[in-house]
Amino acid sequence: MKAVLHDVYGPPEVLRVEETDQPVPGEGEVLVRVHAAGVDPGVWHLTAGLPYLIRAVGFGLRAPKQRIRGLDVSGRVETVGPGVTRFRPGDEVYGIADGSFAEYACAKADMLAHRPANLSHAQSAAVPISGATALQALRDAGRLKPGQSVLVIGAAGGVGTFAVQIAKALGAHVTAVCSTGKADLVRSLGADEVIDYTRTDFTDGSRCTGSSTRRATGSSSTPATRATCTPAPTSPTAAAAPGLRLAARPDPLRHRPPELRA
């Protein structure tokens, strides 16, 4: 099969398209024929190997352990490994598969869900990581309730755009922080208020309302603020859709290059 892979860390130029062996699903895994794969800043981090902590926590100190890049995926089940009962060949699915920039990718069954009928493969592939991260922050870690207020920092970013919509769906009053050029986009997503961080200092604490306020950070273009953040119990996982779960892990935002920032 063809795949986008790399053997060294570096800029996007280290990636190349090559023929490689088709993966074989193991216990609890599903082989997906890839129809679409999503690109998010996490792909850049894993390609560049930055920050260096990424290498130390298991992705490979000197070279990437996983040669094929890509995480978000949407496609059709080709075959299933031992122990998989939720899916069968022919099912259309989306979710997270390490190595999705290829014709075929293996994913853990609990990292996949059936693709919604009203979404194309391309649309579905843009959802899993960013959407699940926003859901985890607001519903599971933040325990956002109707009537509460939430400040979404980086509201025009990959996670931020989901966070605005999810917060509104949960009944919150949403204040979104973004740059001037993206204010209209953020308003169209449902934000009640929009703060242009190039003109207003949203870190001065004037909008903090105590325990009813939650903060969600959706990009790295603006600094985080403590004034609007109320600590809440955290959950190790979050469900983005029935059967799709995403493990909590830190996202080293500030290492991203400017072109990846919202």
Side-chain angles (χ1 to χ4, degrees), residues 95-110:
I96 299 172
D98 199 3
S100 64
F101 291 177
E103 293 181 284
Y104 295 89
C106 277
K108 295 184 183 301
D110 60 1

Side-chain angles (χ1 to χ4, degrees), residues 7-30:
D7 295 304
V8 296
Y9 291 118
E13 288 74 19
V14 303
L15 298 171
R16 64 187 187 280
V17 178
E18 280 190 5
E19 290 285 342
T20 188
D21 294 334
Q22 181 176 308
V24 177
E27 179 79 26
E29 292 186 333
V30 175

